[in-house]
Amino acid sequence: MAGNRTGAVGAHKARVMNRFDLTKRLVGRLKHDEAVIGGIGNANFDLWESGQRPQNFYMLGSMGLAIPIALGTAIAQPQRHVIALEGDGSLLMQLGCLATVAEQAPRNLTIVLWDNGIYQITGGQPTASATTTDLVAIARGAGIARSAWAADEEDFERLFTAALGEGGPTLVAARIDDKPAVGTTERDPVQIRERFMRGLGVRK
Ligand SMILES: Cc1ncc(C[n+]2csc(CCOP(=O)(O)OP(=O)(O)O)c2C)c(N)n1
């Protein structure tokens, strides 16, 4: 990440944005069959509604697995860029994965954090990141030096595009509002897995 891309703003100066809007901007930047792993709930609901791609995987049921799945995919297919979309509550449940990402250091992995400060899908209970915890600081402390808050929508697009181009691992964090996801992913885990494996060229 060049110049001020490593952290122009802290968590509480970042503009509060909308997850579906940012997801559409992110999908619009994909040009090379990148794999995208949507975390449980809203992260994958908005990914689903942004246009289904065979390279998308939609995690159902388990919090905190988008990043571990993306890490495994990135290691298995080093020529393909892999993106994990994860909520703050889910990441807080699986913080250790940041250390593993930093230690493995796959250049083709980008983590996008949707931080709304709540466990939205279960009723909006506040997470620690609403008040005391800065997940970008934690990611940097884990060893992911290229971790930054997006100051606004344009900054988010710049950070994400740089992550695709410059090599990672990278974490781009966005503060987001409490608007619900715009749709719901089709809940068929076998279909989701098979389509993803075909999309990655590992299943006929
Ligand atoms: C181990 C575990 N505990 C609780 C739940 C219930 N649960 C599902 S999604 C969720 C909240 C996820 O929060 P976050 O990742 O921040 O996403 P948001 O809902 O805010 O979009 C909770 C508590 C679960 N699926 N698994």
Side-chain angles (χ1 to χ4, degrees):
M1 246 180 255
N4 67 358
R5 299 272 64 81
T6 52
V9 293
H12 298 291
K13 288 204 180 131
R15 183 176 144 89
V16 176
M17 298 176 271
N18 177 261
R19 183 183 45 239
F20 185 51
D21 173 49
L22 294 184
T23 305
K24 284 186 291 184
R25 289 171 187 256
L26 180 155
V27 170
R29 298 255 165 184
L30 302 177
K31 308 283 182 231
H32 301 291
D33 289 344
E34 295 87 345
V36 185
I37 320 297
I40 181 174
N42 294 312
N44 84 61
F45 293 173
D46 278 344
L47 178 63
W48 177 272
E49 289 295 327
S50 303
Q52 292 148 46
R53 309 164 59 249
Q55 297 83 17
N56 288 358
F57 183 81
Y58 308 92
M59 186 63 221
L60 304 176
S62 296
M63 294 171 72
L65 285 190
I67 297 169
I69 292 169
L71 173 61
T73 307
I75 291 170
Q77 297 203 339
Q79 303 311 319
R80 187 190 302 276
H81 205 98
V82 182
I83 298 128
L85 312 179
E86 192 65 290
D88 52 319
S90 295
L91 179 55
L92 283 163
M93 188 168 275
Q94 185 66 280
L95 282 176
C97 72
L98 297 175
T100 311
V101 166
E103 189 271 332
Q104 292 290 313
R107 292 185 55 76
N108 57 327
L109 178 63
T110 298
I111 298 165
V112 174
L113 173 67
W114 302 137
D115 189 349
N116 54 9
I118 50 176
Y119 300 96
Q120 181 177 21
I121 212 158
T122 49
Q125 304 85 354
T127 66
S129 69
T131 47
T132 46
T133 301
D134 183 329
L135 286 165
V136 166
I138 288 180
R140 287 193 195 148
I144 306 176
R146 293 163 183 256
S147 299
W149 287 102
D152 55 26
E153 286 80 357
E154 287 66 39
D155 198 36
F156 176 83
E157 292 203 39
R158 275 195 299 276
L159 288 166
F160 182 68
T161 305
L164 292 180
E166 292 173 9
T170 307
L171 183 144
V172 180
R175 291 187 69 208
I176 57 162
D177 61 31
D178 62 357
K179 293 226 172 60
V182 294
T184 307
T185 308
E186 197 177 279
R187 286 175 183 268
D188 187 335
V190 174
Q191 269 282 352
I192 290 171
R193 184 195 64 204
E194 293 299 311
R195 195 171 36 216
F196 182 63
M197 290 184 79
R198 284 196 300 275
L200 265 57
V202 293
R203 189 89 103 211
K204 293 262 186 282

